[in-house]
């Protein structure tokens, strides 16, 4: 199957713009009836061909990781304080 002929659904594009590559791959697999590897390759090709969407995707992913790191740091500080108060 020629992956360049795979249509990327609007829902998959929205998922990518929200930083969710896994969801985009799932949507493409469900609609195009292709393998996981083919869908992942199609998403990567789409992102490479659309630098504006790729930039938004990477920005959202970066924000998500930053939020996660802050959350883990906050939990570590809370655990240290709780340990000191015992």
């Amino acid at each position: 199957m020629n992956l360049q002929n795979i249509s990327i659904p609007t829902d998959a594009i929205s998922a990518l713009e929200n930083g969710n590559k896994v969801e985009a791959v799932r949507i493409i697999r469900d609609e195009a009836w292709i393998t996981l590897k083919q869908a992942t390759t199609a998403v990567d090709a789409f992102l490479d061909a659309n630098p504006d969407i790729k930039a938004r995707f990477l920005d959202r992913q970066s924000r998500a990781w930053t939020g996660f790191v802050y959350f883990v740091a906050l939990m570590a500080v809370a655990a240290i304080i709780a340990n000191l108060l015992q």
Side-chain angles (χ1 to χ4, degrees), residues 66-80:
T66 300
F68 176 73
V69 169
Y70 284 141
F71 175 76
V72 170
L74 180 63
M75 291 296 106
V77 169
I80 290 169

Side-chain angles (χ1 to χ4, degrees), residues 11-65:
D11 292 346
I13 295 171
S14 295
L16 288 171
E17 289 179 332
N18 288 322
N20 195 340
K21 185 176 180 179
V22 172
E23 180 67 12
V25 169
R26 186 195 61 77
I27 292 167
I28 293 169
R29 285 190 69 203
D30 289 348
E31 292 198 14
W33 292 71
I34 58 177
T35 67
L36 176 61
K37 183 175 181 177
Q38 290 171 323
T40 302
T41 301
V43 166
D44 290 339
F46 177 80
L47 287 172
D48 289 342
N50 296 279
D52 55 327
I53 295 174
K54 186 174 186 174
R56 286 192 294 274
F57 167 72
L58 294 173
D59 180 58
R60 287 294 182 127
Q61 273 196 329
S62 173
R63 289 181 192 196
W65 276 108

